[in-house]
Amino acid sequence: AVDVPNHPDMRLIVLNSVLFSVKSRGEDSLQAALQQLDWLHQQLQAAKDKHQQVLIALHIPPQIDMYLLG
């Protein structure tokens, strides 16, 4: 997460949404996903405290199943 240069009222948060995919694998996937949500909550609270708007970027766009496109 970073404050957008030249826009102190804007914060960019990049979320590793791969962890939330039904195709996510690995024995620690659930724990990593929960940690990512905790981190996101902290970032959103920090932006709120600074009166910033937030832009969230995701690895997997919402509502798109990349496995159906191929």
Side-chain angles (χ1 to χ4, degrees):
V2 296
D3 293 339
V4 177
N6 301 319
H7 295 278
D9 61 334
M10 179 72 64
R11 184 156 186 84
L12 172 63
I13 299 174
V14 180
L15 187 66
N16 183 4
S17 58
V18 172
L19 296 170
F20 306 108
S21 169
V22 295
K23 303 286 185 175
S24 180
R25 293 201 163 68
E27 52 189 72
D28 294 329
S29 291
L30 177 59
Q31 185 61 30
L34 292 173
Q35 288 175 344
Q36 184 81 173
L37 289 175
D38 286 340
W39 175 84
L40 175 60
H41 177 76
Q42 292 170 7
Q43 295 302 315
L44 291 172
Q45 185 62 54
K48 181 179 178 182
D49 293 345
K50 293 168 73 174
H51 305 286
Q52 291 177 306
Q53 295 181 353
V54 173
L55 176 64
I56 299 176
L58 307 169
H59 288 92
I60 300 175
Q63 305 295 325
I64 296 177
D65 186 346
M66 298 301 290
Y67 294 97
L68 294 177
L69 300 177

